[in-house]
Each structure stands twice: as structure tokens, then as C-alpha cells.
Amino acid sequence: MPDDPSQNSRTDARRAISVTELFTIGIGPSSSHTVGPMRAAHGFAEAALEALQPVRVRCELFGSLSLTGRGHATDSAVVLGLAGHLPDTVDPDAVPEILRAVRERGQLQLGGEVPIAFGVDDIVFSHEFLPGHPNAVRFTAWDADGRERTQTYFSIGGGVVVEAGAGLHIANAAVAHPFASGAELLELGDATGLSIGEIVRRNECAWRSREETDAFLDAVRAAMLASIERGCATDGVLPGGLNVRRRAKALHTTLAARSDRAAPASVMEWISLWALAVNEENAAGGRVVTAPTNGAAGVIPAVLQYYERFVEGATPEGSRVLLATAAAIGFLYKKRASISAAEMGCQGEVGVACSMAAAGLAAVLGGTNQQIENAAEIGMEHNLGLTCDPVGGLVQVPCIERNTMGAVKAVNAAYLALHGDGSHIVPLDAVIETMRQTGDHMRSEYKETSLGGLAVNVVAC
């Protein structure tokens, strides 16, 4: 891990995290390689325009952002951010035309305001790894007199970016029930009589009203289900050169035609379909929810849809509980380990999403806090060591199918935990620490660099 803990994706264990920090709505294909760099570029454009009158801008991508940047559309994200666009507001359908105009004119509107010359040579891919984090991007702007402004950013996972040397400057809200570990979370539940989801929702009152938090959770739910709907309605070939065909639409047609949709095998196929649909949409650059990353964006929506479609008595309030409970588990991974595949491999993405989804489902199925914590632990324990080795640097193979495995595994983990009384040998905190140690020991070839595993054993053409 980096020497300066303020520059990695592990959050200060005592800092309160909000659901709005964990769940964000953006575009694919990657939270760390697309969403983060776009936000960094947008922030730099604003800062450069305040500091000088830029006539030229250069971007250097380092480490994992360079090695898998083209497949993850990092270069396109940088252009969009410099041109004043943000991942939560840019129209995904308009992106190709925006990029085409910049290419053809050799010019972009910096910050959406000032025209400057900008071409393909102004984005440099460097395989050097900078101290601080494997995902680094450096911007430099010059004015007509040669004065410059330079800033380096780290994209630390989940779309979050920090300036080099600055750390996460987020106020530590005084929440009602602070916790920094699974053990503390269970102790809080015992002391207050509150469920894990309720602890999270009461803590959110430090930032906004209960009604506003519920509205946010409802918006996250709507965006998740919308990504499933779009994925199930769209076919064709995914961009990037692997010629991966979208399968969700055909699978949806097949499943919808069956008479017994609730048969056990069919239920598993529906869950897989929903995860598949979201991550095909993500791979195509569509709008998804970072949950907790884009590469793992299909797991929680698929489990949420399972709850709403197949669990008797499902309600909108139950969906809020599922998401709030899942968020509590996500907070622990951010505080005690990392959700960045460039640091942890895919165990930090699909593994974390599986753990979060398992906890959320156990909660709405009536689980105790101890059973919920057990479900989260099971969800991660059987994802330990999962590598990130995307073929061609694209968030497609094995990423899309991996989300279907994570979703099915989450449902299994929830039911397995509910068949017990909550007592188990491996605590959630121990499995989180094991994931962190495993990620630290994992060779860089298996951490989103496309230098090992399937990325080198499968011909990308």
C-alpha cells in the first residue's frame, strides 16, 4: 500500500461515510478509470481557468490508468471532463458526438468555456507507477506566456479522486452512531436495538433529513432498475474490438416466454440476466450506479430485483433497507481495506459488491444483525483472491459474467446465513483484513493492469 494512507482508497476509519459517497450515478465502463478521471479532468479545468488563461493542456496517465486506459475509455473520459462534462450529468448518447467533434476540430472547450487546441498527442500513456496509488493522472496547462499549472490526481476507487498530497478533504460529520468495524456495528445494534440499516439511515441525518435520504435511496433504486431495463432491451456488439455480443436481450426474451418463471433454476437465470444486463450496459458506456464500483455495478441491482420480483411481501421500504444495509458493509471495506481493483484485484470490486448484496438481502428476509454480518462475511470469504485481469483492458471479459456469479453467490450467502443463528467462526472484520492482506500480496499483474491471467492467455483481437 502507499506510504501516505491519505492517498489510497482506504478511508480514515473514524471518518463517517455517507450513502451518497458510496452510491453514485455515472457512466461506464469503469468508476476508477472512467468516472474518476473525468471528475479529475473537470476539476483541473476549473482550477486552471481560475489560475491563468490556458492555451494548451496536456494529460499524462500513469500505472493502471495507462495500462488499461484505452480499454476503460480513460482517454475519452479525460476529454469529456476537460470539456466541462461530469459523469452524473453527461448524456451517454451524446458522448460519441462530443468526442468526434474534438477529434475532427483538434480543439475542445476547456471547462465548456474557453477553446484550446487539443489532439490525441496531448494524452500520454506512461507505464510508470507513481508513489501514492496505482491509478494516477497528471494535468498540465500553459498560458500564452509559458506559465503553467500542474496537478496530479489519484483515482482511488468508486469514482473518488484525491489531489496528490491533499488527501480526502471531507468533513467528518458527527453521526449519531459512529462505527469503524463490524464488531462495533454489532455492538451498536445490541446497545440500541436498531437494525444495521436503521443505524445507517439515522447516521445520514447528520447530512440531510430522513426524507431526503429516502429520496436518494429511491433514486439509486430507480437508476439501478433502469440500467437493467435498458440492458434487457438492447442488443448488438460491445465497443472495444473484442466483438463481444450483448446477450441480455435474447436471454430476457427466452426467460419471459417460460410458463414457470419461479422455478428454482429459472430464478437463478433471472438473477444472472439482471446482472448481465447492467454490466453489458456499463461496458457500452451507459448509465449505471457505482455500487460500489462500475465493474461490479450489476451485483446489487440483480439482488435488489430478485427481492422485488421473487420475495413475497417486498415493499419500497424494504428496498431502502436493502440498500442502506448494503451501504453499511461497503463503508467497512472502504474504511478497513479498499474497493479499488488496482489495489485489491476484483475481490475489492465484485467481492465487495457480493458481500454488500448478501447483507442487504439477509436484512430484508428478516435476518438479525448477526445473521446479516454472517451473510456479508460469507459473500466475501468465497471471493478472496479474485484477480482483476480484463482481456484487452476492457470491462467485458471476464467482468460481465463475473457479476452474474457475484449476484448468485450473494443470494446463496444470504440464505445460508439465515439457516444459522448468526454465530460463525470467521468474523466479518477478519475476512475484510484477509482481503486487504491478500490484495497487498497480490502481484500487480493481477490488479487491473492486463499484464497477467486471462488478459495474456486469451488473444484479444
Side-chain angles (χ1 to χ4, degrees), residues 4-253:
D4 181 357
S6 71
Q7 292 180 356
N8 64 25
S9 56
R10 194 178 317 156
T11 302
D12 176 3
R14 302 314 310 181
R15 182 177 72 80
I17 306 174
S18 170
V19 293
T20 60
E21 184 182 333
L22 191 71
F23 296 130
T24 60
I25 300 171
I27 62 171
S30 171
S31 50
S32 61
H33 286 56
T34 312
V35 174
M38 192 186 306
R39 288 175 175 160
H42 184 276
F44 178 77
E46 289 188 333
L49 288 170
E50 289 180 3
L52 64 165
Q53 295 179 311
V55 295
R56 180 190 168 204
V57 172
R58 172 187 166 106
C59 168
E60 298 172 90
L61 302 171
F62 298 93
S64 180
L65 288 189
S66 170
L67 290 165
T68 61
R70 289 185 173 88
H72 285 58
T74 306
D75 47 353
S76 298
V78 164
V79 170
L80 292 169
L82 290 174
H85 299 284
L86 285 168
D88 55 335
T89 55
V90 67
D91 179 1
D93 294 331
V95 166
E97 176 57 28
I98 296 171
L99 297 175
R100 184 196 64 77
V102 172
R103 285 194 306 269
E104 291 186 356
R105 297 171 187 167
Q107 182 185 87
L108 61 74
Q109 297 287 120
L110 187 65
E113 300 174 6
V114 177
I116 63 168
F118 193 87
V120 64
D121 293 337
D122 291 309
I123 300 180
V124 178
F125 291 79
S126 170
H127 292 182
E128 177 188 358
F129 282 77
L130 298 188
H133 196 279
N135 295 332
V137 55
R138 177 181 296 148
F139 297 97
T140 304
W142 293 268
D143 66 12
D145 297 323
R147 290 175 297 184
E148 69 178 55
R149 179 182 178 88
T150 298
Q151 183 61 55
T152 301
Y153 299 83
F154 298 109
S155 181
I156 64 173
V160 177
V161 293
V162 296
E163 293 185 14
L168 277 169
H169 292 298
I170 300 174
N172 189 13
V175 297
H177 305 291
F179 61 89
S181 68
E184 288 183 2
L185 189 54
L186 291 178
E187 289 171 4
L188 275 174
D190 290 340
T192 63
L194 299 175
S195 69
I196 290 174
E198 184 59 24
I199 288 171
V200 168
R201 291 166 83 182
R202 293 196 182 191
N203 282 350
E204 291 298 313
C205 292
W207 290 282
R208 71 197 73 81
S209 70
R210 174 79 171 227
E211 292 74 22
E212 289 173 312
T213 293
D214 285 351
F216 173 78
L217 293 173
D218 289 345
V220 167
R221 169 196 172 272
M224 286 180 170
L225 299 187
S227 64
I228 290 177
E229 184 176 351
R230 288 193 304 272
C232 287
T234 310
D235 56 15
V237 176
L238 293 171
L242 282 183
N243 296 317
V244 174
R245 294 202 63 84
R246 296 176 70 140
R247 292 176 285 171
K249 182 178 181 180
L251 179 55
H252 179 264
T253 300

Side-chain angles (χ1 to χ4, degrees), residues 328-373:
I329 304 305
F331 297 162
L332 295 178
Y333 284 98
K334 283 181 68 69
K335 288 170 179 285
R336 306 182 70 84
S338 171
I339 59 169
S340 168
E343 288 185 296
M344 295 288 110
C346 199
Q347 60 174 357
E349 295 204 24
V350 167
V352 172
C354 176
S355 184
M356 292 170 62
L361 182 59
V364 294
L365 292 176
T368 65
N369 286 350
Q370 287 72 22
Q371 289 171 319
I372 292 167
E373 185 258 4

